[in-house]
């Protein structure tokens, strides 16, 4: 099973949707939906349909199809040039063999454009007529430089000042902050070394941290503060998850590992994560899912 298939299947299961429900929503046959979850894209009818089916599946389970397509670009089959040329050739042959149908299509198009043109001319004429015949409204603001004279008042009329022209201010630019370079360090009893989690780098949806102090093992604690989130925790990417599942609001889980940890979060912004008691900021992890790698720093011998 491919990683793309796993993400789609987990999203479907979290929403309690069956493959039959997806089939009814997307009109895609169940056997093709099963092939997508298993990563058997060769079963689908052509590479073009493989991408279209994946986007429809993602929309049906509430995922962003554009993000899914870009994030799992490597898992999706590319459309061969031969298939594109063949599709174009078939369309040209069909048009050449049925000139009558092409002529009807052109006639209908011209007719629609002609009707739209007539409607547009009538609309413009009505608007212009209404503007020319609109009566003046007593008390309405006059244009710049006009004069107002009160009835029965003699003397020189007083010009009405024109309103000041206000230059709109450009919108403020908000820069999204990067994850904290050093996570907050909680208080620990005297005699124990405090744990510090340091942000090292980010590559797409992968965030790398280094753990200093706090013992010779890594202890990961996850708590959902809002909504719900799927998680998976293992020693390293590609290894079997030590624990995985879906946490609901106010639920938490603690996982003890060795000197490395790989955490995958379906919706990281709703999760509070600590490593050996030190908090890891997930509020700026916008990818769904996001991956976090924590490596224990080598101990320094005095």
């Amino acid at each position: 099973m491919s990683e793309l298939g796993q993400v789609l299947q987990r999203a479907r299961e979290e929403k309690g949707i069956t493959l039959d429900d997806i089939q009814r929503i997307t009109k895609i046959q169940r056997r093709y939906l099963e092939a997508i979850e298993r990563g058997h894209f060769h079963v689908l009818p052509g590479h073009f349909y493989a991408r279209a089916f994946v986007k429809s599946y993602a929309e049906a389970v509430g995922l962003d199809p554009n993000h899914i397509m870009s994030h799992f670009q490597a898992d999706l089959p590319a459309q061969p040039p031969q298939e594109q040329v063949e599709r174009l050739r078939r369309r040209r042959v069909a048009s050449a063999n049925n000139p009558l149908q092409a002529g009807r299509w052109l006639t209908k198009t011209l007719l629609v454009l002609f009707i739209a043109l007539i409607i547009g001319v009538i609309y413009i004429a009505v608007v212009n007529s209404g503007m020319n015949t609109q009566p003046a409204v007593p008390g309405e603001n006059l244009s710049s430089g006009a004069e107002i004279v009160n009835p029965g008042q003699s003397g020189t009329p007083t010009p009405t000042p024109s309103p000041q022209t206000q230059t709109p201010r450009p919108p403020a630019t908000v820069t999204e902050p990067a994850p904290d370079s050093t996570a907050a360090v909680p208080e620990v009893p005297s005699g124990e070394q405090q744990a510090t989690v340091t942000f090292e780098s980010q590559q797409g949806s992968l965030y790398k941290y280094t753990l200093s102090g706090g013992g010779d093992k890594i202890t990961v604690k996850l708590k959902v503060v809002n909504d719900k989130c799927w998680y998976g925790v293992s020693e390293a990417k590609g290894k079997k998850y030590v624990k995985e599942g879906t946490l609901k609001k106010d639920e938490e889980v603690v996982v003890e590992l060795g000197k490395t940890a790989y955490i995958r979060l379906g919706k990281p912004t709703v999760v509070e994560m600590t490593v050996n008691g030190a908090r890891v900021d997930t509020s700026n992890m916008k990818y769904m899912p996001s991956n976090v790698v924590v490596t224990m720093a080598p101990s320094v011998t005095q």
Side-chain angles (χ1 to χ4, degrees):
M1 179 181 290
S2 65
E3 187 174 6
L4 171 58
Q6 290 179 352
V7 171
L8 293 176
Q9 182 179 0
R10 286 168 184 155
R12 174 178 62 82
E13 292 174 350
E14 288 180 2
K15 290 185 174 293
I17 302 176
T18 65
L19 287 176
D20 293 333
D21 296 332
I22 301 296
Q23 176 179 332
R24 184 174 62 258
I25 295 172
T26 63
K27 309 303 181 183
I28 301 174
Q29 298 182 19
R30 179 188 176 96
R31 61 192 183 96
Y32 293 147
L33 298 176
E34 292 176 348
I36 292 174
E37 289 188 351
R38 296 173 182 172
H40 299 166
F41 298 106
H42 62 278
V43 177
L44 304 180
H47 298 76
F48 172 81
Y49 289 99
R51 293 172 173 268
F53 287 178
V54 169
K55 291 184 68 176
S56 297
Y57 192 126
E59 291 177 349
V61 297
L63 298 178
D64 185 357
N66 295 326
H67 171 69
I68 292 294
M69 299 297 290
S70 61
H71 186 68
F72 297 98
Q73 185 70 25
D75 294 343
L76 295 172
Q79 185 176 7
Q82 294 82 358
E83 184 175 344
Q84 298 178 2
V85 173
E86 181 64 20
R87 292 179 184 274
L88 181 60
R89 187 187 66 80
R90 291 178 181 176
R91 292 177 182 175
R92 290 179 177 177
V93 171
S95 299
N97 293 338
N98 195 357
L100 181 59
Q101 183 178 359
R104 291 178 179 176
W105 178 86
L106 180 60
T107 302
K108 291 180 180 179
T109 303
L110 293 177
L111 180 60
V112 171
L113 292 177
F114 181 74
I115 294 174
L117 178 62
I118 293 176
I119 294 174
V121 171
I122 295 175
Y123 176 78
I124 293 175
V126 171
V127 171
N128 291 336
S129 176
M131 293 177 61
N132 294 332
T133 59
Q134 183 178 4
V137 180
E140 186 178 6
N141 292 336
L142 302 178
S143 59
S144 176
E147 298 178 352
I148 301 177
V149 180
N150 293 331
Q153 180 180 357
S154 61
T156 305
T158 304
T160 302
S162 60
Q164 294 181 349
T165 303
Q166 297 182 356
T167 303
R169 297 181 180 179
T173 302
V174 180
T175 304
E176 181 178 328
D180 293 344
S181 60
T182 303
V185 180
E187 296 182 0
V188 298
S190 59
E192 296 184 11
Q193 186 178 8
Q194 295 180 342
T196 303
V197 179
T198 305
F199 173 74
E200 297 293 343
S201 64
Q202 176 188 355
Q203 297 176 351
S205 62
L206 179 63
Y207 300 83
K208 295 184 178 180
Y209 294 83
T210 300
L211 172 65
S212 302
D216 56 354
K217 292 183 179 181
I218 294 178
T219 301
V220 178
K221 179 180 178 181
L222 305 175
K223 181 179 180 181
V224 173
V225 296
N226 187 21
D227 203 354
K228 60 182 178 179
C229 175
W230 177 89
Y231 73 94
V233 182
S234 64
E235 295 280 354
K237 182 178 181 180
K239 289 190 176 182
K240 183 178 180 180
Y241 289 129
V242 177
K243 278 190 178 182
E244 64 175 317
T246 301
L247 293 176
K248 298 181 181 179
K249 182 179 179 181
D250 296 330
E251 291 183 348
E252 62 181 41
V253 64
V254 178
V255 184
E256 186 173 307
L257 303 165
K259 295 185 179 297
T260 60
Y262 176 79
I263 306 102
R264 187 174 179 86
L265 301 174
K267 193 174 183 181
T269 55
V270 303
V271 177
E272 286 185 354
M273 179 169 64
T274 59
V275 179
N276 287 25
R279 183 177 177 182
V280 177
D281 185 13
T282 60
S283 61
N284 295 314
M285 297 181 182
K286 303 303 182 183
Y287 289 90
M288 292 188 296
S290 289
N291 307 295
V292 179
V293 174
V294 180
T295 305
M296 183 172 292
S299 59
V300 179
T301 306
Q302 298 292 341

